[in-house]
């Protein structure tokens, strides 16, 4: 069985170009922002009142920090924007059969979109 190559010119790419590096950096920046938003989410949620808090009569905050949740929403929207920009660059660069879309950017976009939707349903539409 013969292996036919449909690309007569061969591979002319010598290594990762500027666009590929930009896609990688957008992905890294997006996931770092996602990690920051998870830390902010942990800080913004209400404090869980434990047995020791009740025993020693320590008052706990039982409401969300709405200012911090707004920052989380902005980070999620920025993550969606980074993902869309990276996928547009990836689509422009996607010319060969072996080229693939960045799974990391797709996941970042989906998670950021779900996080922004969660914020809107949880805090705006009450």
């Amino acid at each position: 069985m013969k292996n036919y190559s449909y690309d007569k010119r061969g591979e002319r790419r010598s290594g990762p170009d500027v666009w590929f590096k930009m896609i990688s950096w957008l992905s890294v920046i997006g996931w770092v922002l996602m990690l920051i938003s998870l830390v902010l989410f942990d800080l913004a949620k209400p404090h869980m009142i434990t047995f020791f808090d009740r025993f020693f009569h320590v008052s706990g905050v039982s409401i969300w920090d709405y200012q911090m949740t707004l920052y989380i929403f902005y980070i999620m929207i920025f993550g969606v924007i980074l993902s869309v920009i990276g996928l547009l660059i990836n689509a422009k660069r996607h010319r060969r059969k072996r080229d693939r879309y960045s799974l990391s950017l797709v996941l970042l976009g989906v998670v950021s979109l779900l996080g922004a939707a969660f914020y809107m349903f949880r805090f705006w539409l009450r």
Side-chain angles (χ1 to χ4, degrees):
M1 181 175 229
K2 287 189 173 183
N3 188 6
Y4 292 104
S5 175
Y6 294 104
D7 190 9
K8 304 280 187 208
R9 294 181 293 184
E11 182 66 39
R12 293 186 299 165
R13 294 179 186 165
S14 60
D17 58 345
V18 174
W19 298 110
F20 183 77
K21 290 178 184 177
M22 185 178 292
I23 291 169
S24 299
W25 277 107
L26 285 174
S27 178
V28 168
I29 291 169
W31 284 110
V32 167
L33 287 175
M34 187 61 61
L35 183 66
I36 291 170
S37 69
L38 285 174
V39 170
L40 288 178
F41 182 80
D42 186 52
L43 293 174
K45 71 181 180 180
H47 176 70
M48 183 181 215
I49 298 174
T50 63
F51 168 76
F52 294 109
D53 292 336
R54 281 181 272 148
F55 185 75
F56 292 115
H57 304 290
V58 176
S59 62
V61 179
S62 62
I63 60 171
W64 285 83
D65 185 359
Y66 293 111
Q67 186 66 32
M68 203 169 298
T69 58
L70 188 61
Y71 294 146
I72 295 168
F73 178 71
Y74 292 149
I75 289 173
M76 292 292 170
I77 295 299
F78 190 64
V80 169
I81 292 169
L82 283 178
S83 176
V84 167
I85 290 171
L87 288 173
L88 287 174
I89 292 170
N90 207 350
K92 182 72 176 164
R93 192 177 176 276
H94 189 98
R95 293 195 178 129
R96 292 180 174 83
K97 188 187 287 188
R98 294 182 308 268
D99 289 345
R100 300 285 180 242
Y101 285 101
S102 174
L103 180 64
S104 179
L105 285 175
V106 172
L107 289 175
L108 175 68
V110 168
V111 169
S112 296
L113 200 58
L114 288 174
F118 172 77
Y119 174 83
M120 289 194 314
F121 287 122
R122 175 73 170 98
F123 297 107
W124 276 0
L125 304 175
R126 294 192 268 165

